[in-house]
Amino acid sequence: MKSGRPFIETAGLPYADETWDVTPENVLASVEGVTRPLVLRNYCAHFPAVSAGKQSARKMAEYLLDHYSGQPVNGCYGDPETEGRIFYNKDLTGFNFQSRRVALGELLDDLLSTAGASPAPMRYMPSSQTSFWFPPFASTNDAGLSDVSPVGSLWLGNRVRVAAHYDFPNNLACNIAGRRRFTLFPPEEIVNLYPGPLEFAPGGQEISLVDFYNPDFERFPRFRDALARAQTAELQAGDALYIPGMWWHHVESLDTLNVLYTHWWRDSAAYLGRPTNALMHAMLGLRDLPAHQRNAWRALFDYYVFAAEESGAAHIEPAARGILEQPMSLETAMQLRTKLQNDLKR
């Protein structure tokens, strides 16, 4: 977008559901069973970090440095020509930014010193686990999720935008500083979002190749269909957004210094592994089969995986159910992992 307002800002998308009644004391009960994004207004307004950010960008930077472990962070630097879009280079062989390990203070100084430039260069720190880089942060800014042992991370940057992507875990994203706009899509819209390479993406997770500020509808015509099911949410400092696992989200940071505090957790046991591994294995073993064989395997996947609650294993004696037992025990999962590892070596 060289001039005028970004396309996504003018698309007239409906707003995501929101509530003012959720607090860290009742959050887990409030989001249990929720399958659509939910804005939690004023959820983290009492956080000391939010108070620092509301004073000024410099105060926010000082607060982060006070909680910083001193370990180098991953600083990402892009030219003004990127217009803040974190993306690939032109032929998708690399990215449109450079990464290097730097002290947090160096990155923040660079970010704040270039804030007045128009256009400003891209500056950001991708998701960085608080337990390693900002150890005291979680205890002084408690989101009330200790019962699900979330992975907490901080993300900071200037006016940058993250391409639409999904995450497997649920996410409670607390907006600490700056305004932030999300554009959200149900998981099944993947076909209309034109995802890029699976194994090579700016943040590690595959992203939509559509530029939401200036979409190319000739190249990506089905994106119009995705917009028909999209919703938007704009967060002020102190608001939070609950994003159910697998929902696609495009994220725009709208101010000089923006800080997001994410919390990821899953609804199943961690020992069951990452579903992405199953997807990759299926691509290896199934995707290139003839169509009639893929259809046969689709029936098996439906029976054993996607409709397992209905098909079940009640007709098998309990002692003989093995990996068909639901939920799968830790012992059975470890045995299955070992078998898969051995089979993959053949």
Side-chain angles (χ1 to χ4, degrees):
M1 183 202 67
K2 300 301 181 184
S3 63
R5 296 170 65 193
F7 168 83
I8 201 63
E9 191 177 295
T10 65
L13 302 180
Y15 292 103
D17 296 338
E18 62 178 64
T19 178
W20 291 81
D21 300 326
V22 178
T23 68
E25 289 70 35
N26 65 12
V27 62
L28 287 175
S30 298
V31 301
E32 185 177 4
V34 173
T35 59
R36 294 168 58 85
L38 180 63
V39 177
L40 313 181
R41 294 292 181 201
N42 237 24
Y43 180 83
C44 52
H46 64 287
F47 283 10
V50 173
S51 298
K54 286 184 176 180
Q55 293 180 59
S56 68
R58 176 58 65 183
K59 287 292 185 183
M60 182 75 258
E62 292 173 357
Y63 185 91
L64 293 171
L65 289 169
D66 286 343
H67 290 73
Y68 174 46
S69 69
Q71 296 293 329
V73 301
N74 189 21
C76 298
Y77 300 81
D79 296 332
E81 289 73 24
T82 64
E83 297 182 319
R85 186 189 186 200
I86 301 169
F87 200 62
Y88 295 97
N89 60 14
K90 289 185 178 179
D91 58 3
L92 273 66
T93 58
F95 305 129
N96 66 348
F97 58 89
Q98 297 78 44
S99 299
R100 65 176 185 267
R101 306 293 281 180
V102 297
L104 177 64
E106 178 183 337
L107 175 61
L108 288 168
D109 285 344
D110 191 345
L111 190 155
L112 294 176
S113 67
T114 58
S118 183
M122 177 200 297
R123 299 289 186 266
Y124 74 99
M125 178 190 77
S127 289
S128 303
Q129 283 196 32
T130 54
S131 60
F132 182 79
W133 278 281
F134 304 92
F137 195 93
S139 61
T140 54
N141 300 275
D142 185 1
L145 298 171
S146 59
D147 285 353
V148 292
S149 302
V151 175
S153 298
L154 285 179
W155 194 108
L156 66 87
N158 56 7
R159 292 182 177 90
V160 297
R161 45 193 169 115
V162 178
H165 64 286
Y166 66 89
D167 300 302
F168 161 55
N170 303 314
N171 182 10
L172 182 69
C174 295
N175 197 42
I176 301 299
R179 293 169 299 126
R180 194 172 296 262
R181 181 165 57 227
F182 291 78
T183 308
L184 303 136
F185 303 85
E188 56 270 24
E189 288 305 303
I190 181 174
V191 68
N192 298 321
L193 289 171
Y194 300 90
L198 273 172
E199 64 273 57
F200 179 61
Q205 186 71 43
E206 65 266 31
I207 62 172
S208 169
L209 298 184
V210 180
D211 183 351
F212 281 32
Y213 274 24
N214 187 27
D216 182 347
F217 287 110
E218 289 189 5
R219 183 181 176 192
F220 306 119
R222 293 193 308 274
F223 183 56
R224 293 190 188 278
D225 297 326
L227 289 170
R229 299 195 63 196
Q231 50 188 267
T232 187
E234 184 166 324
L235 305 186
Q236 303 293 325
D239 293 335
L241 175 65
Y242 172 68
I243 308 175
M246 306 303 291
W247 270 73
W248 288 76
H249 44 288
H250 174 270
V251 193
E252 303 164 71
S253 304
L254 303 175
D255 287 314
T256 298
L257 175 59
N258 306 270
V259 181
L260 191 70
Y261 183 23
T262 59
H263 304 78
W264 287 319
W265 75 96
R266 56 188 292 168
D267 294 321
S268 57
Y271 63 73
L272 295 176
R274 298 175 66 242
T276 301
N277 295 336
L279 175 64
M280 295 293 186
H281 199 180
M283 294 177 71
L284 178 67
L286 301 179
R287 188 185 60 188
D288 294 337
L289 293 176
H292 71 281
Q293 291 188 15
R294 291 201 307 274
N295 287 335
W297 279 102
R298 179 183 289 117
L300 266 68
F301 268 72
D302 283 343
Y303 182 83
Y304 287 116
V305 179
F306 299 113
E309 292 86 355
E310 291 79 22
S311 53
H315 58 287
I316 302 175
E317 291 297 319
R321 289 175 188 171
I323 63 174
L324 297 180
E325 188 65 46
Q326 292 179 265
M328 188 180 294
S329 69
L330 172 61
E331 180 183 8
T332 301
M334 293 301 101
Q335 292 171 353
L336 181 55
R337 278 175 175 265
T338 300
K339 180 182 186 310
L340 289 172
Q341 289 168 354
N342 292 333
D343 288 349
L344 283 170
K345 293 176 184 177
R346 295 174 184 172

